[in-house]
DNA sequence: CAACAAATGGCAACCGATTGCCGTCCGCGG
DNA sequence: CCGCGGACGGCAATCGGTTGCCATTTGTTG
């Protein structure tokens, strides 16, 4: 059952290997009759071109790598899903790499894969800017949910989203909000905090930042406690996982959400709509982000642009039950 | 910045390429002094072996493909995560393929990847047995959450789990259960129904099956309605997504869970603990399943066993709020 | 000290494609 | 009838390694 090669086909068809090769990858270069014949023989032999051999000389592997900072976070699934679909649609293969929140692992893996993929999707990269730039000098790179001057990137809109979020809280009567920050090396965390602080200043709210916290449910306990010490009536968690952890801790401590404290998150992960109370959060088409990132990578292989594209995918604030008027009486279930 | 090859190293070190090659892949074959020298030169030149070239001749790509029937299902995330970690630990790369619930796509993709990966992990494959066997004749394959005679497999224990589940319901006083089945081509669906029916018979319960339903939240509505028509007081959904959909629909229809109807699911996805009421479900270490599958694949490359291993990862029933005594007064929140 | 084996390094074929360049054959215009 | 250019097919080098086999050196043994 050894699979057949271009040589087998060439021999069986009575032509040279170059002709077989061209019949597949450069059809106009061979006569119509010959091409038909070769293709027919190839089909009969069940010939399947070997991607490795092809890649070795053509330097195109038709593979892209997606590096995520933490595969545990359900939010990335959407990203991955979108990327996988777009890649598959163009006959590309997606390899998945989990950086486990470690810049070192991230770098190591990228290094390891350079020769075997055509480009990298770096989702929520924890890499310092200079390292990213250096990386991009040697490889095709699209960063996701991070903006780096000079690099192609796709981010889910969040500046305007943060503004809306703070506006929403202000309109409910909150006067003091706390941002429960994500990891120190997270560009998103910095960017969100800037937007929140800006919006708060505009609207005359007090804004504080606590943290950093790991963007996990487990960290939510500490984050909730920190939030309470600030006296703020609204907590903006770095992401939904953290927010859900916060909700849990608040429930344990007997703090009512949203009457005592409002809580909002980011990402609108599947569970955000299911937890109690349902989480107000900034959602968006994450799959589109992944899709767009692959798209950019693929087109950048055809023609290299002068200006690397910076895409923004729209987001929207999804109001649910975890935000409300501060001090308002708790919902009576059934009322 | 063209990366250096084995030739560059050989020249710089004043040895033959074969020596360089062996210094890396067969260290005992060269003298210690030479090896050190070559390695030193290689390091200085930043030499990195080209995996493609290596794979072309060695026929080992150090890559495994994971094919999932539906990447949308969060349950697979854990599987993927475990697989990725185990693969990375051995210096292997994980490529991810979404079969989109289509056996055709599944087959197509496997075909496409045969030459570029060392083996396949088939998670919840929808492939007919004969196709799987044929596939396994040509490739290294481990099936996940499916048992196929003659194939290596890893499944999360569920027969005993179903028994416990039915036992749990029986002990609460239920006398009639309905299984809301998964896709027709799902081995799991068939296997679970068999276990449920068996356990029900043993315990003197009435068991019915409805469906098949797509294992998604969206299908939960239809599933819930179907369940209600049976008059059963307990519904066992094919997975948590379906169960969550069922809970939603029941809430919409004003049916109390668990007092009117108990609901249980499978997988214990993250959201299962967050929905209202929290879902009783059969959970387990899904990441271990993925890990084990890769493990089996990798060891099967070293020595091919006579008997393909069939692993079972333990599961456990996680009791939460969606199951209870039928007809018992609803929980008064706050009481 | 001769003879022989083990250790070590090099030569060159090979994995399975792609591709630049050349030769042949054909049709066509002059 | 000769010459020219385009279409088509083949030769062989190349991508970057691996590996079987041979040659040389070195150490060992009788």
């Amino acid at each position: 059952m050894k699979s057949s090669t271009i040589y087998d086909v060439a021999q069986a068809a009575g032509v040279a290997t170059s002709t077989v090769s061209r019949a597949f990858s450069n059809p106009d270069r061979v006569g119509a009759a010959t091409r038909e014949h070769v293709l027919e023989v190839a089909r009969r032999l069940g010939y399947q071109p070997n991607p490795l051999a092809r890649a070795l000389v053509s330097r195109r592997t038709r593979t892209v790598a997606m590096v995520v900072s933490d595969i545990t976070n359900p939010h990335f699934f959407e990203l991955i899903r979108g990327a996988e679909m777009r890649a598959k649609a163009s006959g590309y293969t997606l390899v998945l790499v989990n950086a486990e929140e470690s810049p070192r692992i991230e770098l190591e893996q990228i290094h390891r894969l350079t020769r075997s993929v055509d480009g990298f999707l770096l989702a929520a990269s924890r890499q310092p800017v200079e390292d990213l730039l250096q990386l991009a000098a040697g490889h095709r790179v699209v960063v996701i949910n991070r903006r780096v001057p000079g690099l192609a990137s796709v981010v889910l809109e969040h500046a305007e989203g943060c503004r809306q979020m703070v506006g929403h809280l202000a309109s409910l009567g909150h006067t003091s909000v706390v941002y429960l920050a994500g990891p120190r090396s997270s560009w998103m965390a910095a960017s969100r905090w800037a937007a929140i602080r800006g919006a708060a200043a505009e609207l005359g709210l007090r804004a504080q930042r606590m943290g950093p916290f790991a963007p996990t449910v487990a960290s939510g306990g500490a984050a909730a406690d920190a939030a309470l010490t600030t006296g703020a009536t609204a907590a903006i968690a770095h992401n939904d996982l953290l927010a859900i952890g916060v909700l849990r801790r608040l429930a344990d401590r007997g703090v009512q959400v949203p009457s005592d404290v409002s809580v909002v998150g980011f990402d609108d992960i599947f569970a955000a709509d299911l937890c109690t109370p349902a989480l107000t959060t900034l959602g968006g088409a994450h799959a589109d982000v992944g899709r767009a990132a692959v798209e950019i990578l693929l087109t950048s292989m055809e023609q290299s642009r002068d200006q690397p594209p910076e895409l923004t995918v729209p987001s929207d604030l999804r109001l649910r039950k975890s935000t409300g008027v501060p001090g308002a009486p708790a919902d009576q279930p059934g009322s």
Side-chain angles (χ1 to χ4, degrees), chain A:
Chain A
M1 176 62 182
K2 255 195 93 328
S3 68
S4 47
T5 74
I6 204 175
Y7 293 92
D8 304 329
V9 177
Q11 183 157 37
V15 297
T17 61
S18 44
T19 305
V20 179
S21 173
R22 285 195 269 257
F24 280 93
S25 44
N26 197 356
D28 297 337
R29 188 60 181 66
V30 306
T34 327
R35 182 187 339 129
E36 286 313 312
H37 177 220
V38 168
L39 260 37
E40 162 58 23
V41 171
R43 194 172 326 116
R44 189 153 48 72
L45 264 53
Y47 166 73
Q48 198 73 9
N50 182 329
L52 276 74
R54 200 193 280 245
L56 185 55
V57 45
S58 73
R59 281 146 187 324
R60 282 291 169 81
T61 60
R62 300 188 72 80
T63 295
V64 304
M66 173 139 189
V67 184
V68 302
S69 58
D70 173 22
I71 204 176
T72 293
N73 187 338
H75 150 245
F76 283 120
F77 281 133
E78 285 294 293
L79 235 47
I80 295 172
R81 186 165 71 87
E84 198 274 344
M85 305 202 88
R86 181 63 188 82
K88 174 138 54 68
S90 290
Y92 273 66
T93 303
L94 206 249
V95 334
L96 183 63
V97 178
N98 180 14
E100 301 170 38
E101 291 277 0
S102 150
R104 192 183 49 75
I105 295 185
E106 190 172 331
L107 227 47
E108 247 174 48
Q109 294 295 315
I110 292 175
H111 210 57
R112 209 174 71 76
L113 288 172
T114 39
R115 305 248 74 77
S116 9
V117 305
D118 290 341
F120 291 93
L121 270 27
L122 267 33
S125 174
R126 303 304 191 217
Q127 224 61 224
V129 178
E130 51 270 31
D131 292 28
L132 280 180
L133 288 172
Q134 191 187 332
L135 227 68
H139 317 288
R140 238 177 299 272
V141 165
V142 176
V143 298
I144 295 179
N145 283 341
R146 174 163 181 178
R147 200 72 90 188
V148 181
L151 295 195
S153 59
V154 184
V155 314
L156 192 75
E157 200 298 310
H158 61 288
E160 176 55 28
C162 287
R163 217 180 321 282
Q164 283 181 28
M165 203 176 253
V166 175
H168 165 61
L169 293 171
S171 72
L172 289 172
H174 293 268
T175 57
S176 173
V177 307
V178 54
Y179 172 57
L180 305 169
R184 205 184 306 276
S185 51
S186 159
W187 176 86
M188 262 293 175
S191 184
R192 283 175 185 164
W193 167 236
I196 290 168
R197 186 164 51 171
E202 269 177 40
L203 296 166
L205 304 205
R206 218 164 84 79
Q208 301 168 74
R209 172 169 60 170
M210 301 297 279
F213 301 101
T216 62
V217 174
S219 307
D225 290 350
L228 288 179
T229 67
T230 67
T233 53
I236 302 178
H238 176 71
N239 74 0
D240 287 350
L241 290 177
L242 188 61
I244 286 170
V246 168
L247 288 179
R248 268 202 193 154
R249 175 66 176 169
L250 292 180
D252 285 353
R253 289 187 54 175
V255 178
Q256 297 290 322
V257 175
S259 58
D260 294 337
V261 174
S262 286
V263 176
V264 313
F266 287 88
D267 294 347
D268 194 19
I269 62 176
F270 174 56
D273 193 25
L274 298 168
C275 58
T276 311
L279 190 64
T280 292
T281 183
L282 187 74
H286 296 288
D288 283 347
V289 174
R291 219 187 311 268
V294 172
E295 181 98 31
I296 289 177
L297 204 58
L298 296 191
T299 58
S300 88
M301 314 198 45
E302 322 279 85
Q303 80 274 34
S304 60
R305 322 166 172 264
D306 29 310
Q307 191 68 18
E310 301 196 337
L311 223 70
T312 303
V313 173
S315 64
D316 54 298
L317 191 58
R318 302 187 178 160
L319 299 186
R320 293 202 265 257
K321 302 302 176 93
S322 68
T323 49
V325 175
D331 262 18
Q332 289 310 321
S335 76

